Amino acid sequence: MADDGAVIGAVLDGDVDRYAELVTAYQAQARRLAFSLLGSEEDAKDASQEAFVSAYRSLRRFRRGAKFSTWLYRIVVNACRDVSRRRVRHAGWVTVGGSEAAMDGVGLFEDVEDPAAPPNEQAASREMAQRLSDAIGALPMKQRTAFVLHHLHGVPLKEIADVMRCRLGTVKSHVFRATEHLRERLSPCLEGHD
């Protein structure tokens, strides 16, 4: 595939069909990020589709030389905020990992169970993953965004600052607070596994 800048240039020059190359290249990442933030496969699908439509409409504002994935992540995060706000207005929302169907059937965390482990350890591992997913879903959106981008998607802190349009120190603070919140919420569960 051509580099993102070349594809964007072609789209802006009128070859709009080439936008499909960007969608193909980033669709899975965008949907995983949206699912990580929203905890619902249906909402993640909607948010990622909205993000690609919004990115297409705003493509002229993309700064040449910038990283397309960072710009797209910002749009995905904003689309997730919009979906989250609509959810609150319409109530009935469950937290990440709640009773919603998980993407590919695995929740926020891929199934890495040891097939040789006894069934009780496998069940305990699934339960801990569920609790962690629920705890992440309960974080305030800014903390959740920073934590998910950094710890679940491996995005560097500086890039997260660009995505969230804030200072690096603010991102570090969000990640720290999220980690502390998760530690407090999950420490009773972890004490039983020592």
Side-chain angles (χ1 to χ4, degrees):
M1 185 185 117
D3 78 352
D4 295 343
V7 174
I8 292 167
V11 172
L12 293 175
D13 288 340
D15 190 0
V16 296
D17 291 339
R18 297 235 13 225
Y19 188 70
E21 292 177 40
L22 294 171
V23 173
T24 300
Y26 292 101
Q27 187 171 35
Q29 290 171 277
R31 195 159 169 199
R32 272 194 309 273
L33 174 58
F35 180 76
S36 298
L37 293 173
L38 297 170
S40 160
E41 186 174 354
E42 191 62 35
D43 287 344
K45 181 180 173 185
D46 292 346
S48 61
Q49 286 175 349
E50 286 177 28
F52 278 107
V53 170
S54 180
Y56 177 77
R57 290 180 179 153
S58 304
L59 207 52
R60 292 214 178 273
R61 290 186 289 198
F62 176 73
R63 284 184 298 115
R64 301 274 177 143
K67 196 170 173 186
F68 181 76
S69 62
T70 302
W71 186 69
L72 180 64
Y73 281 167
R74 182 180 311 132
I75 295 170
V76 171
V77 167
N78 289 337
C80 289
R81 280 192 196 122
D82 292 344
V83 167
S84 185
R85 285 183 195 122
R86 285 193 300 262
R87 253 194 215 163
V88 170
R89 279 190 296 244
H90 293 87
W93 179 61
V94 296
T95 60
V96 171
S99 62
E100 291 281 347
M103 271 186 84
D104 302 323
V106 294
L108 286 184
F109 304 99
E110 292 191 30
D111 186 1
V112 291
E113 290 177 5
D114 178 2
N120 63 331
E121 287 181 20
Q122 291 179 6
S125 176
R126 280 191 302 273
E127 181 181 343
M128 182 54 74
Q130 183 65 51
R131 287 178 188 233
L132 182 56
S133 292
D134 291 343
I136 291 170
L139 292 170
M141 186 56 114
K142 287 181 181 179
Q143 289 179 21
R144 186 183 332 156
T145 300
F147 183 88
V148 162
L149 283 168
H150 186 61
H151 288 295
L152 300 184
H153 294 273
V155 178
L157 294 172
K158 175 66 177 115
E159 191 173 332
I160 296 170
D162 293 340
V163 169
M164 296 180 70
R165 290 189 170 164
C166 62
R167 290 191 267 189
L168 179 60
T170 303
V171 170
K172 289 179 180 179
S173 177
H174 288 318
V175 171
F176 176 79
R177 287 184 179 141
T179 303
E180 287 301 302
H181 175 85
L182 295 174
R183 183 176 289 126
E184 287 172 18
R185 185 160 175 186
L186 297 172
S187 64
C189 302
L190 296 174
E191 290 169 4
H193 286 91
D194 290 340

